């Protein structure tokens, strides 16, 4: 299995939503659009393995899921087999969307902008394909308070620093702020609100494995010659620090949706 395929098949380990949370997110995205448009057509850019797409597709909406990674789309295809009558899965680039101008009622973008250096191109493309009055929905998970998972990440950052590598995190939140400024420059009025909250149990061993398997985006730029010894040291620290590394600790999350509507 290639590294990209491996990440695709493991992706849901770090991006899990309980069913009731998935339902609230789906409602937060679909209800405003359905109040304005009849039989709306949704496009999700960077759909991944479909944690946002699946519950909306299951409700029978017209939904196009676009991703540049065919392995991600294959996982999604298996999830929606049998319920995807109005769904279309497209392998494509967010910076060059294969859709006509003003052809879609809503564009959904979740945990995506920070993956692109030239995100401005993808943002303009997302706005280009929206009909007048159409919606751009951005979404993200946001942790609430301290957690053991965060503590383990912090320890890894300290280990990397001792090895001469500065771990860069927080790019996601920085990019969200940049996108908001850009949307306002386009004359739009994005408004964000939390739409769901939940508690995820996660063990120290699971937190360690997520880092070891490079499932967080901030792990992927760390050079292998630094990555390997840092993870080995982190593993030893986890085993020394937690009497039972499989004991689960609560992590508090909320999901935020930011909506902007075209004039």
């Amino acid at each position: 299995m290639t590294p990209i395929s491996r990440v695709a098949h493991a992706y849901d380990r770090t991006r899990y939503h309980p069913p009731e949370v998935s339902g609230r997110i789906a409602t937060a995205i679909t209800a405003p659009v359905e109040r304005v448009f009849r039989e709306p057509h949704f496009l999700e850019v960077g759909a991944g393995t479909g944690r946002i797409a699946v519950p909306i597709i299951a409700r029978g909406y017209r939904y196009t899921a676009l991703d540049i990674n065919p392995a991600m789309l294959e996982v999604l295809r298996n999830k929606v087999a049998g319920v995807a009558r109005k769904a279309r899965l497209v392998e494509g680039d967010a910076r060059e969307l294969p859709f006509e101008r003003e052809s879609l009622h809503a564009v959904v973008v979740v945990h995506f902008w920070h993956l692109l250096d030239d995100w401005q191109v993808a943002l303009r493309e997302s706005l280009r394909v929206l009909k007048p009055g159409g919606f751009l929905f951005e979404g993200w998970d946001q942790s609430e308070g301290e957690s053991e998972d965060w503590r383990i990440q912090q320890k890894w950052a300290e280990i990397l620093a001792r090895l001469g590598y500065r771990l860069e995190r927080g790019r996601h939140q920085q990019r969200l702020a940049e996108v908001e400024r850009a949307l306002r420059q386009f004359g739009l009025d994005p408004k964000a609100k939390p739409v769901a909250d939940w508690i995820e149990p996660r063990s120290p061993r699971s937190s360690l494995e997520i880092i070891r398997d490079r499932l967080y985006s901030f792990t992927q730029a760390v050079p292998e010659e630094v990555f390997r010894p840092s993870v080995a040291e982190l593993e030893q620290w986890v085993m020394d620090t937690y009497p039972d590394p499989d004991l689960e600790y609560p992590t508090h999350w909320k999901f935020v949706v930011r909506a902007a509507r075209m004039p």
Side-chain angles (χ1 to χ4, degrees), residues 158-219:
E158 293 172 12
I159 293 170
L160 286 169
R162 286 204 309 272
L163 295 174
Y165 183 88
R166 180 177 178 273
L167 184 66
E168 292 190 13
R169 287 180 296 173
R171 186 179 184 188
H172 170 61
Q173 289 295 330
Q174 294 169 11
R175 186 57 47 80
L176 286 172
E178 292 171 347
V179 172
E180 180 175 3
R181 288 194 293 270
L183 289 172
R184 295 193 184 281
Q185 289 172 356
F186 285 128
L188 303 180
D189 184 25
K191 296 186 183 298
K193 66 175 182 179
V195 299
D197 58 80
W198 71 101
I199 297 175
E200 176 194 358
R202 184 177 290 183
S203 71
R205 191 187 304 276
S206 295
S207 297
L208 172 66
E209 290 173 348
I210 289 168
I211 292 173
R212 186 194 63 201
D213 294 343
R214 293 186 184 259
L215 298 183
Y216 290 127
S217 59
F218 61 76
T219 66

Side-chain angles (χ1 to χ4, degrees), residues 20-41:
E20 65 276 12
V21 170
S22 293
R24 293 190 194 108
I25 295 169
T27 297
I29 291 172
T30 58
V33 184
E34 195 166 34
R35 282 195 291 267
V36 178
F37 297 107
R38 184 180 179 184
E39 296 185 359
H41 185 180

Side-chain angles (χ1 to χ4, degrees), residues 67-123:
D67 203 285
I68 202 168
N69 184 343
M72 291 281 193
L73 291 177
E74 186 59 31
V75 175
L76 174 53
R77 184 172 289 106
N78 291 333
K79 288 182 180 180
V80 299
V83 297
R85 186 172 59 88
K86 294 183 180 180
R88 180 185 174 202
L89 277 55
V90 176
E91 184 180 340
D93 193 325
R95 294 161 295 191
E96 193 174 353
L97 294 176
F99 307 103
E100 297 292 330
R101 179 181 178 85
E102 298 183 357
S103 60
L104 298 158
H105 302 96
V107 173
V108 181
V109 185
V110 174
H111 278 282
F112 180 70
W113 300 127
H114 66 290
L115 301 177
L116 296 176
D117 290 332
D118 52 351
W119 58 270
Q120 299 95 332
V121 179
L123 177 59

Side-chain angles (χ1 to χ4, degrees), residues 128-145:
R128 176 185 66 82
V129 300
L130 280 173
K131 291 178 177 290
F135 294 81
L136 173 68
F137 294 104
E138 304 166 86
W140 60 90
D141 299 304
Q142 189 167 301
S143 61
E144 296 286 281

